[in-house]
Amino acid sequence: MRIRPVSPVLVVIAHGSRDPRHAATVHALVRRIRSLRPGLRVETGFLDFNVPSVQGVLESLAAEGVRDVVALPLLLTRAFHAKADIPAVLRDAPRRLRIRQAEVLGPSPLLRSALERRLYEAGLTPADKASTGVVLASAGSTDPEAIGVIDAVAREWRETGWYAVRPAFASAALPRTEDAVRELRALGCARVAVAPYVLAPGFLPDRIARGAAGADVLADVLGDSPEVARVALERYTEAASGHRRLPLPMLSA
């Protein structure tokens, strides 16, 4: 009988937060990932504040005899955590493990679809696009590469039919969400919407929400949307196979 090779275990690495909504959202997303790939073992580890820790998960897997792991940073841009924190944790993993670090989730057309899903769930319709200005509100970073990615996502999203799209940042960079809302009002947008480009609730998403007080629509975080789960599996497959990124079919809202 032919023995099928065992797929690498997917270890989803989340930042962690004192806010219990953060871990709850991460676990919901992981359940969504599992539902899309039955048979794939998916574990969750946190860098800080929550358990299990990434190191604890890796040690447990090694003790079970697992050999191959794909570590997926649950991040939207390549900034400090992806470039420094996570590689440092992985370097301290048990030597018996063969670990491949997957790319971060963004950018991806699927994530733009997830942003639109959240805006439509908050009350907008596709017919509103041409008259609506959108604030693409991210957590922020001091890393120029990460800031450049957010700017590029905003430009590309604008080209899909929105009246205007402006990036904003909850920390470390400008403009803030409230400033971008005022700028879009000054442009004459019929309505202004804020789309948080963040994965889970917490301190910075709450700051984004406060900055959205002058907007007409505030979308939810990306959370466990099916598009995010699909991107996670795409990144897993790339890392496990060594292949370049391959686009996935778009999902309907």
Side-chain angles (χ1 to χ4, degrees), residues 76-194:
L76 295 173
T77 59
R78 290 188 71 253
F80 183 79
H81 293 306
K83 294 177 178 178
D85 282 354
I86 292 174
V89 171
L90 298 182
R91 282 195 296 270
D92 289 338
R95 292 185 177 274
R96 68 171 289 120
L97 293 176
R98 293 190 293 258
I99 302 176
R100 283 161 280 190
Q101 182 177 331
E103 290 290 337
V104 297
L105 300 178
S108 168
L110 284 171
L111 294 178
R112 291 203 305 271
S113 294
L115 288 166
E116 296 206 1
R117 173 190 292 274
R118 293 307 190 215
L119 286 172
Y120 297 152
E121 290 170 349
L124 292 180
T125 70
D128 296 323
K129 292 182 73 168
S131 58
T132 300
V134 179
V135 178
L136 179 69
S138 75
S141 173
T142 57
D143 189 303
E145 178 185 348
I147 297 301
V149 166
I150 300 301
D151 289 342
V153 170
R155 289 193 302 270
E156 292 168 5
W157 200 17
R158 162 67 181 83
E159 294 173 0
T160 67
W162 295 98
Y163 184 91
V165 179
R166 295 289 186 270
F169 306 94
S171 67
L174 297 173
R176 295 287 184 257
T177 302
E178 53 268 32
D179 298 326
V181 169
R182 284 193 290 267
E183 179 185 353
L184 291 174
R185 288 284 185 213
L187 279 178
C189 300
R191 65 190 61 78
V192 175
V194 174

